[in-house]
């Protein structure tokens, strides 16, 4: 997979969670999210227990609460959607603080907020404890289609290059006195976008030819194989197994 690639969500720590093989963490997060989504929305207490379980994982991984909360801001659009649901949904109405709200809309908003927040929090913890390169190795280990893994790998590798190219083009425009102040400047920006596309396409062609000349035949070589012991699988799956027990209890009650 090549050299490692750091990302802003990753926190370099030496903890048992960081040391787990990436495919075990991917499987654990996926199973946890499936359990959370399967939990009946009426079992409100269960979602509080799920949040506590994630808090234990964050504590073990030494992920600060402030770091986690800041990364949760990515779900703001979903929060806005959930806030509107009680006002626009149909069905029986209830009065809350003088407002006439849909009862089904309130349950729907709670369902989106609770399950969405827990899913995002689990994903943030995964990203905070696993490097991007390790995530790709984990996906490959879990037998994800190799083409998808390669596309994700190239996206990660060349995303920064494209961003840096955009920055250089912006500096070149500004050094010539250009400032986008209105609609009349959209033509220049459109030409810049076209030039960026052409440069990116040509770079891709050169990289592909270089790879083919070095023996690339449709699959990337695996430099280091990642294995997991039974103990590591047990440690990683402790989270979804505990959540599954809570989910079954929620259905039983």
């Amino acid at each position: 997979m090549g050299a490692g690639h750091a990302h802003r969500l990753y926190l370099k720590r030496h903890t048992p969670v960081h040391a787990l093989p990436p495919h075990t963490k991917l499987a654990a997060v996926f199973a946890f999210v499936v359990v959370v989504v399967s939990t009946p929305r009426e079992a409100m207490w269960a979602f509080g227990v799920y949040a506590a379980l994630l808090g234990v994982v964050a504590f073990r991984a030494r992920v600060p609460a402030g770091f986690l909360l800041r990364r949760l801001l990515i779900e703001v659009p979903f929060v806005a959607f959930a806030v509107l649901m009680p006002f626009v949904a149909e069905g029986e109405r209830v009065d809350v603080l003088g407002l006439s709200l849909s009862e089904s809309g309130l349950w729907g908003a709670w369902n989106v907020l609770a399950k969405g927040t827990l899913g995002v929090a689990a994903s943030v913890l995964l990203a905070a404890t696993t490097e991007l390169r390790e995530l790709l190795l984990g996906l490959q280990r879990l037998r994800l289609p190799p083409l998808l893994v390669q596309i994700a790998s190239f996206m990660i590798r060349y995303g920064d290059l494209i961003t840096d190219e955009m920055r250089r083009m912006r500096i070149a425009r500004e050094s010539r006195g250009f400032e986008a102040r209105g609609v009349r400047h959209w033509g220049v920006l459109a030409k810049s976008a076209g030039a960026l596309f052409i440069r990116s396409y040509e770079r891709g062609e050169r990289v592909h030819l270089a790879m083919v000349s070095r023996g690339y035949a449709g699959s990337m070589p695996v430099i280091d194989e990642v294995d997991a012991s039974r103990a590591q699988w047990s440690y990683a799956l402790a989270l979804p197994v505990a959540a599954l027990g809570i989910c079954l209890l929620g259905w039983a009650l």
Side-chain angles (χ1 to χ4, degrees), residues 78-96 99-113:
F78 299 97
V79 173
F81 171 76
V83 170
L84 292 176
M85 289 182 66
F87 295 94
V88 300
E90 299 179 353
E92 186 177 349
R93 313 296 292 188
V94 294
D95 290 331
V96 179
L99 298 174
S100 178
L101 305 177
S102 169
E103 184 176 357
S104 61
L106 287 172
W107 279 115
W110 160 252
N111 196 46
V112 171
L113 283 176

Side-chain angles (χ1 to χ4, degrees), residues 100-230:
S100 178
L101 305 177
S102 169
E103 184 176 357
S104 61
L106 287 172
W107 279 115
W110 160 252
N111 196 46
V112 171
L113 283 176
K115 297 181 179 180
T117 301
L118 289 170
V120 173
S123 301
V124 170
L125 286 176
L126 174 64
T129 58
T130 315
E131 293 185 5
L132 282 176
R133 174 178 172 273
E134 293 181 350
L135 283 175
L136 294 175
L137 289 172
L139 292 173
Q140 190 174 49
R141 182 67 176 173
L142 292 174
R143 299 296 187 267
L144 196 74
L147 182 59
L148 295 180
V149 177
Q150 291 181 46
I151 291 174
S153 176
F154 292 140
M155 180 185 68
I156 292 170
R157 288 175 181 275
Y158 294 102
D160 289 340
L161 291 177
I162 302 303
T163 302
D164 191 56
E165 188 74 27
M166 292 175 58
R167 182 185 61 82
R168 289 196 298 269
M169 293 174 68
R170 177 180 58 80
I171 293 175
R173 291 196 304 268
E174 293 178 352
S175 66
R176 291 164 174 79
F178 174 80
E179 291 185 13
R181 296 180 178 177
V183 178
R184 66 180 184 277
H185 294 133
W186 286 5
V188 177
L189 297 178
K191 292 178 181 178
S192 298
L196 178 64
F197 173 79
I198 293 174
R199 293 182 185 183
S200 302
Y201 182 83
E202 291 177 345
R203 183 192 296 271
E205 289 291 316
R206 293 195 300 270
V207 171
H208 179 259
L209 291 175
M211 292 171 62
V212 171
S213 67
R214 288 164 175 78
Y216 175 75
S219 61
M220 298 292 289
V222 178
I223 299 177
D224 48 352
E225 190 70 21
V226 182
D227 293 320
S229 64
R230 182 175 299 179

